[in-house]
Amino acid sequence: GIKSANWTTTLFSEVQLQANDTLIKLINADSAAQLWWANGEQLDAIGGNDTRFQTNHSGIISKYSGLNNHLLNFGMDYRTEEIKQAVFQGNWDAEILLQSSGNTLVPSTLGIEQGFWFPGDQIRDDLFPIVSREVISLHIQDTWQLTDNINLTLGSRYDDYNDIGSDISNRLGLVYNISSTSTFKVLYGEAFRAPTIAEVYQLPTSVSVGNINLKPEEIKTIDISWQQKWDNYQFILGYYDSHITDQIDRVAVPGSDFGSTRLQAQNFGSENLSGWELELKANPIENLMISAGFTHLNQYSNIGVPVDPAYLIVNYTFNQWNFNLNGYYHGRVISRVDEITKTVVTLNSFFKLNAAISFQLTDDIELYLKAENMLDESYTTYDEFSQLPNGLPERGRIISIGTRISF
């Protein structure tokens, strides 16, 4: 970083490499002899994928405080995302599979080989093509102290994706400190959510498929909140109202095989979301912290969103001991709506209670006892990928004991 009387400038650069090398047993030996290997060999069918991703990110961030009652923040950054490899691998002979246009699977004599061809294909079937993306971003923000009790924040951000397009997002914030214990805020923000590389480019060789026509999702939100403190207690009441355009969601689309389906990200027009949020925090005695919250939704997504969720957390520390009790209420959820019959499938509400006790034996060693779902609640949760209309069954009471060691 570079510093002077009124300037602070930070230069940064980072490279992230992500490698996923996975192998699992696809079919056991008895079934593979009949269904997988063309020569009928009694051998487990092993398969997986080998993917390589790289992200390069660099930029500059500056702050300037030389103007009375103003703090300026601005900067720019450049990012590239690249899929370097995304191939299937397994214990089959890749050369024979290629020469037979994906019709002959026989065990490899070399171990694990890379490359897979579906029947009739002569071009290798990968998870992703070799593809890259470039992103240039610019931002500027001014925090203006209007009076001793009021400050105004104005900001704007420009993002340009070489494959998606560009967008300008603005923000505005007004903070009024009514007193040393009471604060009122009004915030307005715009956000630009570009589709991920996977959502755009994934090839139709897995459970998902990309959509090159996918547009960015944009959201505009107004947040109004009041925060009040009394000694060791704090109360926060907030209201939010959001408008989303070109909302991105995953839907099932027909696959290349007869009767099969895959998930694809698609744009679904506009949606309005709004609701009230209440949060209470308390520290009534030393080492005891209590936090509780409740949300009431006025407008929300019909599918997969719980109605009126709430939570409670109690944490107490005594010497090397820590005691934690936490629970949350999950309101009913609409899981599916049949487009033809209009039949609605609803998942029941539930309350899940958890507890944990830990003892700090040394600076580096901690012993713990945990109980999840203490009341042994029977419930299901919404999961868009499982395609289970009655929800994904969750586990009952779980008791665990263990040790955490820090190095």
Side-chain angles (χ1 to χ4, degrees), residues 169-182:
S169 304
N170 301 304
R171 62 172 303 192
L172 181 150
L174 182 68
V175 179
Y176 175 36
N177 295 307
I178 303 170
S179 67
S180 60
T181 59
S182 186

Side-chain angles (χ1 to χ4, degrees), residues 245-271:
T245 56
D246 292 323
Q247 183 177 18
I248 296 175
D249 202 356
R250 290 178 178 270
V251 297
V253 296
S256 56
D257 302 325
F258 178 76
S260 67
T261 60
R262 290 185 173 87
L263 293 175
Q264 183 183 63
Q266 296 185 4
N267 296 109
F268 281 89
S270 307
E271 185 171 26

Side-chain angles (χ1 to χ4, degrees), residues 90-323:
N91 61 340
W92 52 78
D93 189 310
E95 181 62 28
I96 291 178
L97 190 60
L98 168 61
Q99 296 302 324
S100 66
S101 298
N103 289 295
T104 303
L105 277 162
V106 296
S108 169
T109 58
L110 303 176
I112 301 300
E113 298 187 35
Q114 292 188 340
F116 191 84
W117 292 260
F118 286 100
D121 291 350
Q122 292 185 324
I123 298 176
R124 192 177 69 187
D125 294 297
D126 293 345
L127 280 170
F128 296 95
I130 304 303
V131 66
S132 63
R133 163 185 285 179
E134 295 182 353
V135 186
I136 298 175
S137 301
L138 306 170
H139 73 269
I140 184 169
Q141 178 176 289
D142 178 22
T143 302
W144 182 11
Q145 194 69 43
L146 293 172
T147 69
D148 291 341
N149 297 329
I150 301 175
N151 72 66
L152 177 68
T153 299
L154 300 169
S156 189
R157 179 183 179 90
Y158 171 77
D159 293 288
D160 181 66
Y161 288 71
N162 71 318
D163 59 339
I164 297 297
S166 59
D167 184 77
I168 296 177
S169 304
N170 301 304
R171 62 172 303 192
L172 181 150
L174 182 68
V175 179
Y176 175 36
N177 295 307
I178 303 170
S179 67
S180 60
T181 59
S182 186
T183 302
F184 180 75
K185 298 180 181 180
V186 178
L187 308 175
Y188 170 78
E190 300 172 352
F192 167 83
R193 204 282 257 182
T196 65
I197 280 187
E199 290 173 332
V200 177
Y201 298 110
Q202 186 164 358
L203 297 171
T205 54
S206 184
V207 295
S208 299
V209 60
N211 181 359
I212 60 173
N213 297 314
L214 198 61
K215 295 184 291 185
E217 179 179 283
E218 298 185 23
I219 182 171
K220 298 179 180 180
T221 300
I222 295 177
D223 280 294
I224 302 173
S225 67
W226 170 43
Q227 178 178 308
Q228 181 67 51
K229 297 179 180 179
W230 300 279
D231 296 328
N232 297 324
Y233 300 86
Q234 181 176 291
F235 162 93
I236 303 173
L237 177 64
Y239 173 80
Y240 69 90
D241 190 295
S242 301
H243 179 70
I244 304 174
T245 56
D246 292 323
Q247 183 177 18
I248 296 175
D249 202 356
R250 290 178 178 270
V251 297
V253 296
S256 56
D257 302 325
F258 178 76
S260 67
T261 60
R262 290 185 173 87
L263 293 175
Q264 183 183 63
Q266 296 185 4
N267 296 109
F268 281 89
S270 307
E271 185 171 26
N272 293 313
L273 307 174
S274 65
W276 293 87
E277 296 176 327
L278 174 65
E279 185 175 9
L280 301 172
K281 295 181 179 181
N283 188 199
I285 61 174
E286 187 177 3
N287 299 327
L288 176 62
M289 292 183 293
I290 302 173
S291 178
F294 171 76
T295 300
H296 174 69
L297 306 176
N298 296 331
Q299 295 175 294
Y300 54 94
S301 299
N302 288 331
I303 307 296
V305 177
V307 176
D308 298 339
Y311 72 90
L312 172 67
I313 302 173
V314 180
N315 197 88
Y316 179 67
T317 303
F318 178 73
N319 294 331
Q320 292 112 309
W321 291 92
N322 188 82
F323 304 87

